[in-house]
Amino acid sequence: MGSSALCEDYRLCLERELRRGRAGVCGDRSLRAVLWHILVEDFELHGALQDDALPLLTDGLGGRADLAPALRGLARAFELLELAAVHLYLLPWRKEFTTIKTFSGGYVHVLKGVLSEDLLTKSFQKMGYVRRDKHRFTVVAPPPACQLLQAALGCFALRLECEILGEVLAQLGTSVLPAEELLEARRASGDVASCVVRLQQRLVRDEEPPPLPPRGSPAAYGASLELYRAPQGEGSEAASLYGGLWEQSAQVWGDGGPAAEDPSANPPQAASPPYGASEEELALEPEPAPFSFLSLRRELGSLGALATPEPPGSPARAGHRRLWGEGAAAYAPAAGYRAHSCLPTGALPALRCATCRQLHAAHCAALPACRRDHALHTLYGEAQRRLWLQRSQVDALLLDGGPRARP
């Protein structure tokens, strides 16, 4: 069914409702089902309807931490725009429908909160409105009826698109993901199920850790050194999330710590297994003790005891610098991540801000400030979120011995 046939069906629906005494948005279930089916299979129908779907959806969803409430807000905005076009089409003689106030009412509470001023102006211009001043739009000359009908149908299609995207998120099981990934998957899919599969594959790739080297190879034993040595290419998150987690530990046990000052303080290290050692030989070696935060704190305490006394006249915090080594300046307290106060104890974060170095919940009240000029990153899946939460706990232990949240 082409756009002209849809416009005709939409017109019949509106006029049928008007004869029943109702002048409002389309509520015909059969037309709704037909348009839903066509849109799901062909996103490009929006282009034929000239409804500016991609810029409007990108503007309304971009930068939102949780897309589900953003989609509900967009659907309400498109419904209000559809109603404005329907009123001008069905009741052009009503004076109250020729002026839109931009300082109160639905414009402020429904439209302005989800769409930019430029896109709202463009949407109203399609209905024949022009900006009279900074407080209102007015209709000077009513546009052709077919133009109003197409504008109303386009808003109806945008409402259904919001519902389709909401169904995708419901089947996906999460609504915390970048808007561009959702729209990209939606445009490349012919139904809801295939769109969900695309997004699931994307999330799995984002969560999947790098493959482990085969046991017995030299790389298998070199990997454990990353717990005590700063990773190459410091600052690159793509290199290794696990390397980032232990970046602070490297400042304690790496080059520049107390061990570098006093070689005798270094305990003897066991030699690495020979290249090509068999699994039977490796099985005879004792397994390393599992990591725990308590053992980490005990090791930190023992390191403090090994620090030699400072000479007289040194600053009060010289012992602290000696314990942490010359690299302490590169690891100022601000370099560690902290859980924001919006996260209850044990709750997993949904986003992290690389500027203020804090982990946030999806509905944190401080997120608008971070979105404006901070580097805000979404955390995908439980594994990645739990990893960043553990990193913040390690950071807190290394810095002040307690996982206190910032305000």
Side-chain angles (χ1 to χ4, degrees), residues 229-381:
R229 182 177 61 218
Q232 297 295 324
E234 188 173 353
S236 172
E237 293 177 9
S240 170
L241 284 175
Y242 289 92
L245 175 61
W246 300 111
E247 182 180 344
Q248 288 77 25
S249 300
Q251 301 296 333
V252 179
W253 292 293
D255 303 339
E261 298 178 5
D262 185 8
S264 63
N266 284 330
Q269 297 183 1
S272 298
Y275 175 75
S278 66
E279 294 192 6
E280 290 78 4
E281 294 171 339
L282 295 174
L284 298 177
E285 297 184 7
E287 291 291 329
F291 169 80
S292 72
F293 292 121
L294 293 177
S295 62
L296 176 61
R297 295 188 69 172
R298 285 196 295 269
E299 290 183 65
L300 292 178
S302 64
L303 283 173
L306 291 174
T308 58
E310 292 297 317
S314 62
R317 297 182 59 85
H320 176 80
R321 292 196 302 270
R322 187 171 183 83
L323 172 61
W324 291 89
E326 297 300 325
Y331 182 66
Y337 274 87
R338 294 296 184 93
H340 190 261
S341 57
C342 65
L343 284 173
T345 302
L348 298 181
L351 301 101
R352 66 178 180 85
C353 180
T355 305
C356 61
R357 315 289 287 182
Q358 296 189 85
L359 306 179
H360 297 273
H363 301 288
C364 177
L367 285 178
C370 288
R371 288 196 190 100
R372 281 195 295 269
D373 47 17
H374 287 191
L376 194 63
H377 303 277
T378 304
L379 304 179
Y380 300 110

Side-chain angles (χ1 to χ4, degrees), residues 78-371:
F78 294 140
E79 182 176 7
L80 190 59
L81 290 171
E82 179 187 357
L83 184 62
V86 168
H87 280 164
L88 288 179
Y89 173 76
L90 294 177
L91 309 168
W93 60 87
R94 298 279 293 270
K95 295 293 185 181
E96 61 268 31
F97 297 149
T98 61
T99 300
I100 301 292
K101 298 177 181 178
T102 61
F103 57 87
S104 64
Y107 188 92
V108 172
H109 300 294
V110 178
L111 299 178
K112 197 173 181 180
V114 296
L115 292 171
S116 67
E117 198 75 33
D118 290 341
L119 288 175
L120 287 174
T121 299
K122 185 177 180 181
S123 297
F124 279 114
Q125 285 174 345
K126 291 181 178 180
M127 307 175 199
Y129 288 97
V130 294
R131 184 174 284 280
R132 179 177 176 183
D133 52 44
K134 64 180 181 180
H135 298 303
R136 62 192 59 126
F137 291 99
T138 59
V139 176
V140 178
C146 60
Q147 182 177 331
L148 289 170
L149 197 63
Q150 183 167 0
L153 176 59
C155 293
F156 180 48
L158 289 170
R159 274 204 293 142
L160 292 183
E161 185 62 48
C162 289
E163 296 179 11
I164 293 172
L165 294 173
E167 179 64 23
V168 170
L169 295 179
Q171 294 190 22
L172 183 63
T174 180
S175 56
V176 180
L177 71 161
E180 56 271 17
E181 291 188 8
L182 174 63
L183 295 176
E184 180 183 350
R186 170 72 182 94
R187 295 179 66 190
S189 306
D191 53 54
V192 171
S194 61
C195 184
V196 172
V197 170
R198 282 178 179 272
L199 290 171
Q200 286 174 337
Q201 292 173 347
R202 181 63 177 266
L203 293 178
V204 168
R205 286 198 301 270
D206 290 338
E207 293 180 11
E208 194 172 57
L212 295 175
R215 190 170 186 180
S217 68
Y221 307 106
S224 62
L225 297 178
E226 295 302 328
L227 290 176
Y228 309 98
R229 182 177 61 218
Q232 297 295 324
E234 188 173 353
S236 172
E237 293 177 9
S240 170
L241 284 175
Y242 289 92
L245 175 61
W246 300 111
E247 182 180 344
Q248 288 77 25
S249 300
Q251 301 296 333
V252 179
W253 292 293
D255 303 339
E261 298 178 5
D262 185 8
S264 63
N266 284 330
Q269 297 183 1
S272 298
Y275 175 75
S278 66
E279 294 192 6
E280 290 78 4
E281 294 171 339
L282 295 174
L284 298 177
E285 297 184 7
E287 291 291 329
F291 169 80
S292 72
F293 292 121
L294 293 177
S295 62
L296 176 61
R297 295 188 69 172
R298 285 196 295 269
E299 290 183 65
L300 292 178
S302 64
L303 283 173
L306 291 174
T308 58
E310 292 297 317
S314 62
R317 297 182 59 85
H320 176 80
R321 292 196 302 270
R322 187 171 183 83
L323 172 61
W324 291 89
E326 297 300 325
Y331 182 66
Y337 274 87
R338 294 296 184 93
H340 190 261
S341 57
C342 65
L343 284 173
T345 302
L348 298 181
L351 301 101
R352 66 178 180 85
C353 180
T355 305
C356 61
R357 315 289 287 182
Q358 296 189 85
L359 306 179
H360 297 273
H363 301 288
C364 177
L367 285 178
C370 288
R371 288 196 190 100

